[in-house]
């Protein structure tokens, strides 16, 4: 897998609050468990408990997991009456700096880690004339690259155009596999027609071209003595051929599924990666050793000197000694199942690449040296060049980037493309941009004390356990943060195990507590450079401050919920924060709660508004913030946008600028944030512009489209129509045929005496049931639906604690889900078979502004706030 599926906002907010909690609970001992660390004296942070932090180790897990929609069952911002007293105490008491104990020489030696200059982007070459690039190799001297795809071309590493075009297809043919002979004299390439080609690299003449199979040659490998070539197709057969005449030598079937990659260990041993990774004797066709059973991992690579084989296992990358077939070391990932690998020529470093980025590892220590985030065009080639020590990363649309140190670049006449990011003034309250955040610290490569894999680890968050004492753990972080230029600053309230560090106006918190048996849990959080106390607060005569820190602000007010929401949307946008609706995430309203999100530079501001548990006349307002490593500039007049920045920036926005003005805005703002505009991918067609930018290993295309209203639609990212209500086709205004569905207003069937809960925005109906087990209730609904002409699709799931049934009628569908809550059955109905044409029993509901926009298919803007307020006030008055 790539990375654990973690609700990033929940994790970041929870642990920032946990750090605040440790600060506030003065005099407390160690917290035995994170889930119990909230004291009754500390403001409760809703929906950020440890039971909501989910780690998914399945192959389908992704980094871009979205926060679950808020639930009315867990109300937000519940504030105890005495929280304000805590704040007043903290604001008046200055906590002393913890005493720094210098580490011993033995500790320094044990904590030492390799220090290397990070790789910088030295060149980016775009070539539109050669089509797509699916395979990349390099010559033995490292001076030339071979790019294969719709063409096969030979390039000088420092050249802007191909030196030689070895092969150019006329139709749909393309190169699928590529390899260079061990002596560097010739190359072999297999295409999608099953034909294998060989060229001489000295005179560029074709040596032989022969059709070997009726299907594509998806991979090939050359033996270490250069005498034979192995090929595979879409089945599990390995074919062995003589290298000179392409004559068959052997063919055997490996006992694995989904065979995808092969590599030779020596003259006669071949590694095959599919459902299992195993070693085979090409002469006998017999398995020699099974390395990784049942994993479906295709990551394999042989080191340049032939000493080691790297192969993927469960969340790790193992290194096998080729001489004795024993595992030597492993790198603690996680890694994708299809990772690209490149050993440095001296075999001291390993570069790995997947869909999220390129990582550089020190092989002796297993230390992660550098992470180069990537998104946009998929990486198809990774080559660490001999002699020059440059790392070449090639993407599908013939985009080749060259990475190296400044010294490596000087040797070949290349200088870094990106200048160091200038940081905001330490006193500035303007949030840093993603580029500035990246230049300050990356917790993925920061020294770790733990002996086990971290529970959560990204660029700005780290949660790990270590078999150490609290004192030694704190010494470790004081030592390494100090070496990195961070100075410890006094916290608001002294608390054991909680520390804060500052550098150039940015802050990092380190919180730790003992969990027993000499084990300590460590939470490190990059807090950014923005102090929430500077944020505009909701103001009304009834408002009062409850709690304030640089990361959390809480207020209490008697103002009605909808009035608070509208006021904050306006107030924060005027202060430079853009309200946004999260793309690729479900949205459901809670009746007595609002969750607002705002975007500004590299920060997301979260504002939760909820009814007080003790006094329904009061509403609690809670501000918090998280860092956004993947955000983009937004036109200032785009007062409400749709956005997602989980793994890469995705944006839908409307601006009153014309296309020329919008183009100028993005070119200026993107360049200011370190992006460079590229010719490849940029174009202008009629009333649309596409602006292609790169930064490091990332690609972004900004699409600008002239609308009939004269405004300009801004789109960034793919598949936006499936996530944006603005881009979705508005439903027909004609009423649906009542025979094809059941009106929501007619629910609940079989339970007419009870009130159903209607969610028009989520298009679901929920019915509480007092009598009967879930299987009994499911059977009763099945009979009732069948009497109305609905057929049960399959047998569904029916157990004592969960029921899932699907009913179909004509082309419509209704799903029934049943669960237990407090011992009672809750039945939920969803599907296009539920119609919403009739007025609901309770009449129109007071909803959030976002839901109002979505339901009425309005564009995302704040221009309609007055209409929204008038409608919501009318509904409230009618009730």
């Amino acid at each position: 897998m790539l990375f654990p599926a973690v609700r990033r906002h929940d994790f970041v907010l929870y642990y920032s609050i946990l750090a605040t909690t440790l600060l506030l609970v003065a005099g407390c001992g160690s917290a035995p468990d994170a889930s119990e660390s909230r004291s009754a004296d500390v403001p409760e942070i809703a929906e950020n408990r440890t039971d909501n932090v989910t780690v998914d180790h399945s192959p389908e897990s992704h980094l871009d997991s979205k926060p679950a929609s808020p639930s009315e069952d867990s109300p937000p911002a519940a504030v105890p009456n005495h929280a304000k007293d805590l704040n007043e105490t903290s604001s008046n008491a200055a906590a002393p700096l913890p005493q720094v104990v210098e580490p011993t020489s033995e500790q320094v030696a044990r904590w030492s880690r390799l220090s290397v200059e990070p790789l910088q982007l030295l060149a980016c070459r775009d070539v539109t004339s050669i089509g797509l690039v699916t395979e990349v190799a390099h010559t033995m001297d490292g001076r030339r690259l071979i790019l294969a795809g719709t063409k096969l071309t030979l390039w000088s590493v420092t050249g802007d155009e191909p030196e030689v075009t070895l092969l150019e297809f006329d139709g749909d043919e393309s190169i699928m596999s590529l390899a260079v002979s061990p002596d560097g004299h010739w190359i072999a390439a297999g295409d999608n027609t099953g034909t294998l080609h060989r060229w001489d690299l000295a005179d560029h003449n074709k040596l032989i071209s022969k059709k070997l199979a009726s299907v594509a040659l998806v991979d090939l490998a050359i033996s270490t003595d250069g005498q034979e070539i192995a090929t595979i197709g879409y089945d599990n057969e390995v074919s062995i051929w003589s290298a000179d005449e392409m004559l068959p030598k052997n063919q055997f079937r490996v006992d694995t599924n989904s065979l995808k990659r092969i590599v030779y260990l020596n003259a006669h041993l071949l590694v095959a990666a599919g459902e299992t990774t195993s070693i085979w004797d090409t002469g006998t066709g017999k398995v020699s050793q099974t390395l990784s059973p049942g994993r479906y991992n295709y990551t394999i690579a042989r080191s340049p000197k032939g000493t080691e084989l790297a192969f993927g296992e469960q969340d790790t990358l193992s290194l096998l000694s080729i001489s004795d077939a024993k595992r030597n070391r492993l790198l603690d990932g996680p890694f994708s199942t299809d990772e690209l690998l490149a050993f440095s020529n001296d075999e001291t470093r390993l570069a790995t690449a997947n869909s999220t980025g390129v990582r550089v590892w020190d092989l002796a220590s297993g230390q992660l040296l550098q992470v180069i985030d990537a998104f946009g065009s998929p990486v198809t080639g990774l080559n660490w060049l001999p002699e020059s020590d440059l790392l070449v990363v090639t993407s599908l649309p013939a985009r080749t980037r060259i990475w190296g140190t400044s010294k490596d670049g000087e040797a070949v006449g290349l200088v870094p493309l990106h200048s160091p990011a200038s940081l905001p003034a330490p006193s500035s309250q303007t949030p840093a941009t993603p580029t500035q955040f990246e230049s300050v610290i990356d917790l993925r490569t920061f020294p770790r004390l733990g002996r086990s894999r971290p529970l959560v680890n990204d660029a700005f968050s780290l949660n790990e356990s270590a078999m150490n004492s609290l004192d030694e753990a704190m010494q470790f972080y004081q030592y390494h943060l100090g070496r990195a230029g961070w100075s410890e600053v006094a916290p608001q309230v002294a608390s054991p195990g909680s520390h804060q560090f500052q550098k150039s106006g940015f802050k990092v918190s380190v919180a730790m507590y003992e969990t027993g048996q000499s084990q300590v849990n460590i939470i490190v959080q990059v807090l950014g450079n923005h102090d929430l106390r500077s944020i505009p607060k909701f103001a009304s005569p009834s408002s009062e401050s409850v709690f304030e820190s640089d990361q959390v602000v809480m207020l209490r007010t008697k103002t009605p919920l909808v009035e608070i929401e509208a006021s904050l949307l306006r107030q924060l946008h005027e202060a430079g924060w853009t309200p946004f609706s999260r793309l690729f995430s479900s949205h459901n309203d809670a009746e007595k709660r609002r969750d607002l999100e705002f975007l500004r530079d590299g920060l997301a501001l979260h504002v939760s508004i909820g009814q007080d548990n003790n006094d329904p006349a009061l509403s609690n307002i809670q501000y918090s913030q998280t860092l956004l490593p993947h955000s983009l500039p937004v036109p200032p007049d785009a007062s409400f946008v749709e956005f997602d920045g989980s793994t890469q920036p995705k944006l839908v926005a409307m601006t009153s600028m014309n296309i020329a003005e919008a183009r100028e805005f993005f070119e200026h703002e993107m360049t200011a944030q370190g992006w460079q505009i590229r010719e490849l991918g940029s174009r202008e067609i009629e009333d649309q512009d596409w602006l292609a930018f790169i930064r490091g290993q990332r690609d972004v295309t900004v699409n600008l489209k002239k609308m009939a209203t004269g405004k300009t639609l801004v789109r960034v990212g793919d598949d936006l129509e499936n996530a944006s209500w603005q881009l979705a086709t508005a439903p027909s205004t004609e009423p649906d045929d009542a025979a094809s569905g059941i009106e929501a207003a007619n629910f609940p069937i079989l339970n007419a005496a009870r009130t159903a809960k209607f969610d028009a925005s989520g298009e679901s109906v929920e019915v509480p049931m007092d009598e009967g087990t879930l299987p009994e209730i499911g059977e009763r609904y099945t009979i009732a639906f069948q009497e109305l002409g609905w057929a049960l699709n399959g047998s569904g799931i029916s157990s004592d604690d969960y029921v899932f049934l699907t009913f179909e009628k004509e082309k419509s569908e209704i799903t029934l889900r049943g669960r237990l809550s407090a011992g009672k059955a809750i039945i939920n109905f969803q599907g296009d078979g539920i119609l919403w044409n009739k007025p609901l029993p309770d009449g129109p509901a007071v909803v959030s502004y976002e839901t109002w926009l979505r339901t009425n298919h309005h564009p995302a803007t704040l221009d309609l706030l007055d209409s929204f307020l008038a409608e919501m006030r009318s509904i409230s008055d009618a009730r």
Side-chain angles (χ1 to χ4, degrees):
M1 71 178 183
L2 300 183
F3 291 93
V6 176
R7 290 169 52 182
R8 173 172 168 76
H9 167 48
D10 282 356
F11 167 78
V12 172
L13 181 56
Y14 172 75
Y15 284 112
S16 66
I17 299 306
L18 178 58
T20 304
T21 299
L22 292 173
L23 282 170
L24 287 170
V25 187
C28 70
S30 58
D33 187 278
S35 63
E36 300 175 358
S37 62
R38 273 202 318 261
S39 165
D41 294 337
V42 181
E44 176 185 355
I45 306 305
E47 288 215 299
N48 291 285
R49 304 176 176 91
T50 49
D51 55 359
N52 280 339
V53 180
T54 306
V55 180
D56 181 4
H57 294 281
S58 65
E60 292 79 18
S61 63
H62 299 281
L63 183 64
D64 57 348
S65 299
K66 309 300 185 299
S69 299
S71 167
E72 218 175 337
D73 296 333
S74 53
V79 182
N81 293 331
H82 54 279
K84 185 176 181 180
D85 297 333
L86 282 173
N87 181 53
E88 291 173 347
T89 302
S90 66
S91 64
N92 295 327
L97 275 173
Q99 183 178 0
V100 178
V101 179
E102 292 296 326
T104 65
S105 57
E106 184 273 333
Q107 286 175 313
V108 171
R110 179 157 40 90
W111 295 343
S112 65
R113 64 184 264 122
L114 185 66
S115 178
V116 297
E117 181 183 350
L119 305 181
Q120 300 182 66
L121 183 62
L122 301 175
C124 179
R125 299 194 174 96
D126 299 330
V127 183
T128 58
S129 60
I130 66 172
L132 301 178
V133 174
T134 57
E135 295 288 329
V136 184
H138 63 267
T139 57
M140 298 303 291
D141 59 8
R143 297 179 183 177
R144 286 172 175 78
L145 294 173
I146 304 116
L147 305 185
T150 50
K151 292 184 180 181
L152 186 66
T153 53
L154 188 65
W155 293 71
S156 167
V157 171
T158 58
D160 292 326
E161 295 293 334
E163 292 183 345
V164 179
T165 298
L166 299 175
L167 180 64
E168 184 172 355
F169 293 109
D170 295 328
D172 297 330
E173 299 94 338
S174 63
I175 298 296
M176 299 284 289
S177 50
L178 180 69
V180 179
S181 66
D183 60 11
H185 292 165
W186 52 273
I187 60 173
D191 65 27
N192 61 344
T193 70
T195 303
L196 190 65
H197 314 268
R198 282 183 58 217
W199 286 268
D200 186 287
L201 280 175
D203 57 19
H204 307 145
N205 288 330
K206 180 178 286 190
L207 301 175
I208 190 172
S209 182
K210 189 173 183 178
K211 189 172 180 62
L212 303 180
S214 59
V215 296
L217 301 179
V218 298
D219 200 16
L220 66 84
I222 305 173
S223 62
T224 57
D225 61 2
Q227 298 303 303
E228 62 184 39
I229 298 175
T231 63
I232 59 173
Y234 290 114
D235 52 21
N236 299 324
E237 298 285 341
V238 177
S239 299
I240 308 298
W241 313 86
S242 64
D244 52 359
E245 299 295 332
M246 304 287 188
L247 298 177
K249 296 182 65 176
N250 197 6
Q251 187 176 44
F252 54 91
R253 186 178 182 85
V254 300
D255 55 352
T256 187
N257 295 318
S258 303
L259 183 60
K260 189 171 182 180
R261 288 187 187 170
I262 52 176
V263 65
Y264 273 94
L265 290 184
N266 53 37
H268 300 292
L269 288 181
L270 181 80
V271 182
E275 181 181 9
T276 63
T277 301
S278 48
I279 303 175
W280 296 78
D281 188 307
T282 59
T284 64
K286 302 296 183 181
V287 65
S288 172
Q289 184 179 358
T290 297
L291 300 177
S292 177
R295 179 70 178 99
Y296 283 107
N297 196 306
Y298 314 116
T299 298
I300 52 174
R302 179 177 173 272
S303 65
K305 298 178 182 178
T307 61
E308 289 187 309
L309 171 79
F311 65 96
E313 292 192 278
Q314 179 70 38
D315 297 333
T316 62
L317 196 67
S318 293
L319 288 104
L320 184 82
S321 170
I322 293 178
S323 62
D324 56 15
K326 293 182 179 178
R327 285 178 173 84
N328 283 339
R329 294 157 290 171
L330 60 82
L331 301 179
D332 190 6
F335 296 89
S336 75
T337 58
D338 208 10
E339 200 97 9
L340 295 177
L341 307 178
F343 284 88
S344 63
N345 195 51
D346 59 5
E347 300 186 353
T348 62
R349 289 170 292 170
L350 181 73
T352 67
N354 56 39
S355 60
T356 64
V358 177
R359 291 177 287 177
V360 181
W361 305 79
D362 174 58
L363 288 175
S365 65
Q367 175 185 326
L368 180 57
L369 301 175
Q370 185 176 359
V371 179
I372 303 170
D373 289 313
F375 53 70
S377 303
V379 174
T380 55
L382 189 68
N383 296 77
W384 214 312
L385 303 181
E387 297 185 11
S388 65
D389 211 28
L390 299 173
L391 181 66
V392 179
V393 185
T394 307
S395 302
L396 185 64
R399 174 166 284 159
T400 299
R401 293 173 171 90
I402 299 178
W403 294 82
T405 65
S406 53
K407 182 179 180 180
D408 296 333
E410 289 177 6
V412 293
L414 297 174
V415 296
L417 289 186
H418 299 308
S419 302
S422 58
L423 298 181
S427 59
S428 172
Q429 280 307 308
T430 301
T433 66
T435 309
Q436 293 169 331
F437 280 131
E438 293 168 7
S439 67
V440 174
I441 192 170
D442 187 340
L443 292 179
R444 294 170 295 188
T445 56
F446 195 79
R448 292 212 317 260
L449 181 63
R451 299 175 188 173
S452 60
R453 285 192 61 200
L455 303 175
V456 177
N457 187 199
D458 59 29
F460 306 128
S461 309
L462 171 64
N463 179 20
E464 65 171 338
S465 294
M467 300 299 293
N468 295 88
S469 67
L470 274 175
D471 290 341
E472 184 175 30
M474 199 60 248
Q475 272 186 282
F476 177 88
Y477 278 96
Q478 286 174 329
Y479 172 74
H480 279 291
L481 284 167
R483 285 174 58 86
W486 294 83
S487 302
E488 189 160 6
V489 294
Q492 293 178 1
V493 179
S495 177
S498 186
H499 302 254
Q500 205 168 82
F501 299 82
Q502 184 170 295
K503 176 182 178 180
S504 303
F506 292 78
K507 287 184 179 180
V508 168
S509 69
V510 181
M512 54 187 65
Y513 54 88
E514 290 177 333
T515 58
Q517 299 179 344
S518 300
Q519 186 169 350
V520 59
N521 197 43
I522 302 165
I523 303 155
V524 186
Q525 183 70 45
V526 180
L527 304 179
N529 70 321
H530 182 255
D531 191 323
L532 264 183
R533 289 170 291 192
S534 68
I535 203 77
K537 313 298 191 305
F538 174 76
S540 76
S542 66
S543 297
E544 62 172 332
S545 175
V546 175
F547 173 80
E548 289 192 8
S549 74
D550 56 349
Q551 296 299 303
V552 179
V553 171
M554 292 180 176
L555 308 175
R556 180 189 291 123
T557 180
K558 292 183 179 180
T559 308
L561 181 65
V562 69
E563 306 290 340
I564 301 172
E565 176 187 13
S567 177
L568 284 174
L569 287 171
R570 283 197 176 106
Q571 181 183 18
L572 287 169
H573 181 251
E574 290 171 357
W577 296 85
T578 303
F580 72 90
S581 167
R582 192 174 290 270
L583 288 162
F584 300 97
S585 180
S586 60
H587 173 77
N588 293 297
D589 273 347
E591 182 181 356
K592 301 173 183 178
R593 173 186 178 128
R594 295 290 182 267
D595 287 279
L596 312 178
E597 291 190 286
F598 300 82
L599 171 69
R600 185 177 181 187
D601 297 324
L603 273 186
L605 173 67
H606 310 274
V607 183
S608 294
I609 314 164
Q611 187 180 76
D612 191 272
N613 288 337
N614 300 317
D615 186 351
L618 290 174
S619 292
N620 299 312
I621 307 173
Q622 176 180 295
Y623 299 74
S624 61
Q625 59 189 2
T626 56
L627 276 58
L628 283 174
H630 306 306
S631 65
L632 295 175
V634 177
D637 68 321
S639 56
F640 197 111
V641 302
E642 294 178 276
F643 169 76
D644 179 64
S646 300
T647 57
Q648 56 185 293
K650 295 178 183 290
L651 176 69
V652 178
M654 195 74 70
T655 174
S656 58
M657 302 178 186
N658 59 38
I659 284 187
E661 293 168 336
R663 182 195 311 119
E664 182 180 357
F665 168 81
F666 278 102
E667 287 179 348
H668 179 270
E669 295 299 321
M670 295 285 281
T671 302
Q673 292 192 17
W675 294 86
Q676 294 187 341
I677 192 163
R678 309 298 295 183
E679 180 180 350
L680 179 63
S682 295
R683 64 189 190 279
E684 181 179 351
I685 302 176
E686 296 181 350
D687 292 334
Q688 291 195 67
D689 269 12
W690 285 265
L691 308 175
F693 298 90
I694 70 157
R695 190 178 81 220
Q697 200 59 43
R698 287 161 285 197
D699 303 316
V700 160
T701 299
V702 179
N703 174 222
L704 306 174
K705 182 179 180 180
K706 181 181 179 180
M707 306 302 291
T709 60
K711 293 186 176 182
T712 298
L713 174 67
V714 180
R715 296 168 43 131
V716 178
D718 300 324
D719 201 29
L720 295 173
E721 286 81 4
N722 294 327
S724 165
W725 86 78
Q726 298 181 92
L727 302 180
T729 303
S732 172
T733 56
E734 295 296 325
D736 291 334
D737 182 2
S740 65
I742 301 175
E743 285 290 344
N746 295 339
F747 272 79
I749 58 176
L750 292 183
N751 200 28
R754 295 297 305 272
T755 301
K757 179 179 178 181
F758 300 94
D759 182 2
S761 60
E763 296 187 341
S764 70
V765 180
E766 192 168 276
V767 182
M769 305 288 288
D770 290 333
E771 298 178 357
T773 65
L774 283 176
E776 291 171 346
I777 295 170
E779 179 63 24
R780 290 164 59 195
Y781 270 109
T782 299
I783 295 172
F785 272 108
Q786 288 174 341
E787 291 176 349
L788 294 173
W790 294 80
L792 179 64
N793 181 7
S795 59
I797 300 172
S798 182
S799 66
D800 290 338
D801 55 6
Y802 182 70
V803 171
F804 177 81
L805 304 172
T806 301
F807 302 94
E808 294 180 343
K809 184 178 181 181
E810 299 175 4
K811 296 182 179 180
S812 300
E813 181 179 275
I814 296 177
T815 60
L816 178 157
R817 290 176 174 85
R819 72 185 193 281
L820 293 177
S821 178
K824 295 183 179 181
I826 303 295
I827 309 300
N828 182 276
F829 300 92
Q830 285 185 308
D832 58 6
I834 302 179
L835 308 179
W836 301 87
N837 300 313
K838 292 183 179 181
L840 296 175
D842 294 335
V846 176
V847 297
S848 69
Y849 184 60
E850 178 181 340
T851 295
W852 185 79
L853 290 175
R854 286 174 176 263
T855 303
N856 293 285
H857 296 277
H858 292 312
T861 177
L862 294 185
D863 294 343
L864 302 173
L865 261 178
D866 288 337
S867 297
F868 163 76
L869 273 174
E871 185 174 328
M872 294 304 108
R873 287 167 180 163
S874 175
I875 294 172
S876 296
D877 292 342
R879 290 187 171 186

